[in-house]
Amino acid sequence: FALTGSPKNLGELPLLELDLNNANSVVQVEAFQKQRAAVVGGGFIPERQRLRLDMDAVLDFTLSFGDETTSTLTPSVSACSLREELVQLADIEDLEVFCMTEDNFKDCVVVFNPPGNAGPQSLLAVTEPHLNTGVGSSLQLAASVVPEQKGESPVKLDLKDDPLSAAQVQLEADESTLERILAAEIIQVCGDGFRTSSEQCDDGNLYDGDGCNPLCQTEPGFRCVSSTTGSGVGGIDSCATVCGDGLRIRGDGERVRMFEQCDDGNKDDGDGCSSACKVEVGFLCRGGGLRSSSNCASSCGDGELASNEQCDDGNRRDGDGCKSNCQSVEEGYACALEPSGDSPLLSVCVPCHASCATCLGPAADQCTSCAAASPFWQGDLTQGARCLGSCSEVGSFPKGTDSDKERCLECHEECGTCTGAGAHECLSCDVTSNFPYLSADGHCAMSCPSNSFGHEGKHGWTCQPCDSSCFECAGPHSMSCTKCDDDKVLDLLVGTQGICRSDCPIGKYVDGSNCLPCAADCASCIGPETYQCTSCFEGVNDGMPVEYGLPPSFPPELPPP
C-alpha cells in the first residue's frame, strides 16, 4: 500500500479477503500481514554537532547540555558509552554518536534524533577539562564542539533559545580559545545507502520484499550484510535470502537476490530441495512461504530419476523392470540411465542373463545374485560376476564353507578342473600346457609313469594302469604291453604292442627284449633268415635244419657214393 495519494492507505489496514469461488487447481493460497504500517512524518532534518579531542593533550573532561553535565569522561570513551552519558541528561531524549580516531585525534559526531529532539538544539559544551601541560602543543586544538548541521522541523516546537551561530567555545581553563572544526554532512535517511545505528539495514532503496523494508528493518527470511565491517554502521547493505531457514522467499531474480524455488528448513541435498534452495531433478516441491516450509516429494513415473528413487522408467506399471513405486528394481531385471538421448535421466530396464537372479546388465558376467539352476559364481557379485552350474566349467572349485560357499576359487595352474587349490587336487589337466596327463594321485604330468598309459577322455588325458604282466603299455590289456620286466620278453603282436612272456613261442626268436617271427619255412630259428632255422616244418629239407649260421649250398652238394 502506497504512502502517497489518498490518506485511506495510511496506517494499519485490514487483511485482503480471498474469493476462490472461480479458482481452479489451487495448490496453496494465503493472506497475512507481512509488516505493520505506521504513519510516517517527513521534513525533519536532525541537528548534528561534532566533538573533537586531542587525545595527547586532554586527560579528562565533562560535557554539559543546558543546565546538566555528564560525569567525568576520558578521551578513550567509546561511542556507546558517550551516548549513554548524554541520554541521561534531562533535555536529551534520543541521539546517535559516531566516533573515529585518527592520528591521536578523536572525532565524535552527535546526531539528535527527531521528533524528541527535533529542530535546533543547544550546543554541547566541554567543561572542566584537565589538560596535559607537558605535551607542549597548542591548546586551541585540545577540545571543541562545533555545529555541523542546523536542525529543522516542519512542526513548531517549544525549544530553548540558544545562539547556534557561535563559531567558538570558551574553555574554562587558561582563558584559551579553540577554533571551529568543520566536517562532512551526516544525514539519517532510510534508503540512502548509509546504515545508521537505528537502522537494521539500508540497501539504498525503499522497496519492500528485497530483504530491507522501507523502514530499513531486515525482512523475515533475509540476511543483510553491510559493506562496513563490524557494526555495519556507515555502509550500504546487500541482502539475500537465508536458504534452509524454512521461510521461502519468492521473487523475480531482479530485486531479490538468490530468490528461492523451495525452502524445506534444512540445507541437505537429496531430499528434493537442494542446499541452494533449488528444486532437485525428479522432485516436486509444493508450498512454502513466510509461515510454512516447502514440502518436497519425488515424482515417480515422470522419467526423471530422483535421488530417493531406485529407478524411474517413465511409467507406474509393474512387470517391466521398475516397480510401480520406483523404489526397487524387479528381480531378473537391471535398470540404468540412458547415456544419451532426449531423456538422459530416464531408467532403461532390461532382463538379466538366464543364469542371474539379479544383475547389473544383460551380460552373463553382470550377475549380482545367481539363479537356482546356476548357484555357483566366479568373480565379485557386487561388481558383477558369472553364475555357473558347476565351478568345473571354468577350471575352478567351490569354496564350500562360510556364507559364500558357492563361490568358485581358482585351481592350481597345472589343473584343468580340481577339487582344491593344491597341485595334487586336479580332476583334469590343461591339455594345452606342458603337463597334460592326470596321474592317479591327482597330479598333472608331462607323461604317464611306468605301469600306466595315457587315455584321452571327455575331460582330457588321464593315466590308466597297465595289465599286471606289462612294465609299460599302450592300453589296459595284456596284449597292449610295450615293455616288459627284465626277466621277460615282449612277444610283439601289432606294431610295438604285444604280450610279455618268459620265452618266445615256436616260430619266433629273441631279438633283444622282443620276440620276432622266424622265416616262413622255419619251425624255430635263431634269426629272421631261412638259413637260421633250428627246425623246419615237415616236408621242408626233410625236416632237418641247415648247419647253424651257414647258408644252405645251392645247388646242394650230393653225398659221396
Side-chain angles (χ1 to χ4, degrees):
F1 294 91
L3 299 180
T4 59
S6 171
K8 294 180 181 180
N9 286 338
L10 296 178
E12 189 170 2
L13 300 173
L15 290 177
L16 292 172
E17 294 185 1
L18 305 175
D19 184 1
L20 303 179
N21 291 328
N22 296 321
N24 294 319
S25 303
V26 176
V27 176
Q28 179 178 350
V29 63
E30 59 180 331
F32 59 92
Q33 187 183 59
K34 185 175 182 182
Q35 177 177 285
R36 184 174 181 179
V39 178
V40 180
F44 289 103
I45 298 178
E47 173 90 4
R48 276 194 331 276
Q49 299 177 18
R50 177 181 288 270
L51 167 66
R52 184 173 175 83
L53 299 170
D54 184 341
M55 300 182 70
D56 291 334
V58 178
L59 298 177
D60 56 46
F61 66 96
T62 59
L63 288 175
S64 62
F65 184 79
D67 298 330
E68 295 193 1
T69 303
T70 66
S71 60
T72 301
L73 305 170
T74 64
S76 62
V77 64
S78 67
C80 293
S81 298
L82 181 57
R83 180 184 180 279
E84 291 177 0
E85 287 286 338
L86 291 174
V87 295
Q88 293 180 15
L89 304 183
D91 292 334
I92 297 179
E93 292 190 15
D94 186 26
L95 53 73
E96 294 178 279
V97 178
F98 306 91
C99 291
M100 181 177 68
T101 302
E102 185 175 0
D103 296 331
N104 293 323
F105 281 89
K106 170 172 277 188
D107 285 306
C108 293
V109 177
V110 180
V111 182
F112 294 83
N113 290 328
N117 288 96
Q121 303 295 314
S122 299
L123 194 64
L124 290 168
V126 179
T127 56
E128 300 180 3
H130 289 82
L131 305 179
N132 184 0
T133 57
V135 172
S137 61
S138 172
L139 295 178
Q140 291 182 343
L141 297 177
S144 66
V145 177
V146 295
E148 290 195 344
Q149 177 175 277
K150 183 179 179 180
E152 296 181 6
S153 172
V155 183
K156 184 177 180 180
L157 301 175
D158 183 16
L159 299 176
K160 296 182 179 181
D161 295 331
D162 191 78
L164 295 178
S165 60
Q168 297 178 338
V169 177
Q170 296 293 329
L171 287 177
E172 298 179 6
D174 301 331
E175 298 180 352
S176 301
T177 302
L178 303 181
E179 62 181 292
R180 179 183 178 189
I181 302 174
L182 299 178
E185 289 190 359
I186 301 177
I187 301 175
Q188 177 180 309
V189 178
C190 179
D192 64 352
F194 186 89
R195 191 206 282 191
T196 65
S197 61
S198 65
E199 297 173 330
Q200 292 182 0
C201 57
D202 195 322
D203 57 357
N205 65 68
L206 293 176
Y207 294 131
D208 193 9
D210 62 353
C212 188
N213 68 19
L215 298 179
C216 286
Q217 303 298 301
T218 303
E219 295 177 297
F222 285 87
R223 179 173 179 263
C224 296
V225 179
S226 173
S227 59
T228 301
T229 58
S231 66
V233 172
I236 185 171
D237 283 273
S238 176
C239 301
T241 56
V242 180
C243 179
D245 62 353
L247 302 179
R248 180 189 173 193
I249 306 300
R250 314 181 190 198
D252 54 12
E254 296 180 2
R255 282 170 40 194
V256 178
R257 211 161 56 87
M258 293 178 60
F259 71 95
E260 300 169 322
Q261 294 181 354
C262 56
D263 195 320
D264 57 357
N266 64 68
K267 298 193 72 173
D268 299 331
D269 288 322
D271 59 358
C273 189
S274 72
S275 57
C277 286
K278 304 293 183 183
V279 178
E280 295 178 300
V281 174
F283 284 87
L284 178 65
C285 294
R286 300 180 182 273
L290 295 179
R291 292 189 175 183
S292 62
S293 59
S294 302
N295 182 20
C296 302
S298 59
S299 302
C300 177
D302 62 355
E304 293 187 338
L305 183 65
S307 57
N308 67 342
E309 294 177 332
Q310 295 298 314
C311 55
D312 195 323
D313 57 357
N315 64 69
R316 303 194 68 172
R317 297 190 300 269
D318 288 327
D320 58 358
C322 184
K323 293 286 287 184
S324 59
N325 60 4
C326 297
Q327 294 302 304
S328 62
V329 176
E330 294 177 301
E331 186 171 348
Y333 283 86
C335 297
L337 296 180
E338 186 71 30
S340 62
D342 297 333
S343 302
L345 296 179
L346 174 69
S347 298
V348 177
C349 301
V350 295
C352 297
H353 188 270
S355 63
C356 307
T358 58
C359 62
L360 300 176
D365 59 354
Q366 292 182 300
C367 301
T368 55
S369 64
C370 296
S374 305
F376 300 96
W377 49 275
Q378 181 188 45
D380 185 350
L381 287 174
T382 61
Q383 302 295 323
R386 184 177 179 185
C387 292
L388 307 162
S390 170
C391 290
S392 61
E393 296 178 24
V394 290
S396 58
F397 66 97
K399 183 177 180 182
T401 58
D402 303 328
S403 59
D404 56 348
K405 61 182 179 180
E406 291 86 8
R407 180 184 179 187
C408 296
L409 303 179
E410 290 187 1
C411 297
H412 188 272
E413 61 183 358
E414 296 176 359
C415 301
T417 57
C418 62
T419 59
H424 62 287
E425 296 179 288
C426 301
L427 289 175
S428 65
C429 300
D430 184 0
V431 296
T432 63
S433 71
N434 294 327
F435 304 89
Y437 296 99
L438 178 67
S439 63
D441 61 358
H443 283 85
C444 289
M446 296 181 66
S447 60
C448 290
S450 300
N451 303 114
S452 65
F453 66 97
H455 172 71
E456 185 177 12
K458 180 179 179 180
H459 300 292
W461 290 92
T462 58
C463 292
Q464 300 292 330
C466 297
D467 184 81
S468 59
S469 63
C470 305
F471 182 75
E472 293 180 359
C473 65
H477 309 293
S478 60
M479 296 182 294
S480 302
C481 299
T482 56
K483 189 176 181 179
C484 302
D485 293 332
D486 293 340
D487 59 346
K488 293 185 178 182
V489 291
L490 177 61
D491 181 9
L492 293 175
L493 300 179
V494 179
T496 60
Q497 301 181 34
I499 300 175
C500 289
R501 302 178 184 277
S502 299
D503 295 303
C504 290
I506 295 176
K508 292 187 176 182
Y509 67 95
V510 177
D511 181 15
S513 60
N514 297 328
C515 291
L516 300 179
C518 296
D521 294 335
C522 298
S524 61
C525 63
I526 58 172
E529 302 297 336
T530 56
Y531 60 82
Q532 293 179 303
C533 297
T534 58
S535 65
C536 297
F537 290 108
E538 186 176 352
V540 178
N541 199 27
D542 294 330
M544 297 298 295
V546 298
E547 187 178 353
Y548 290 151
L550 298 175
S553 299
F554 185 84
E557 295 182 0
L558 297 175

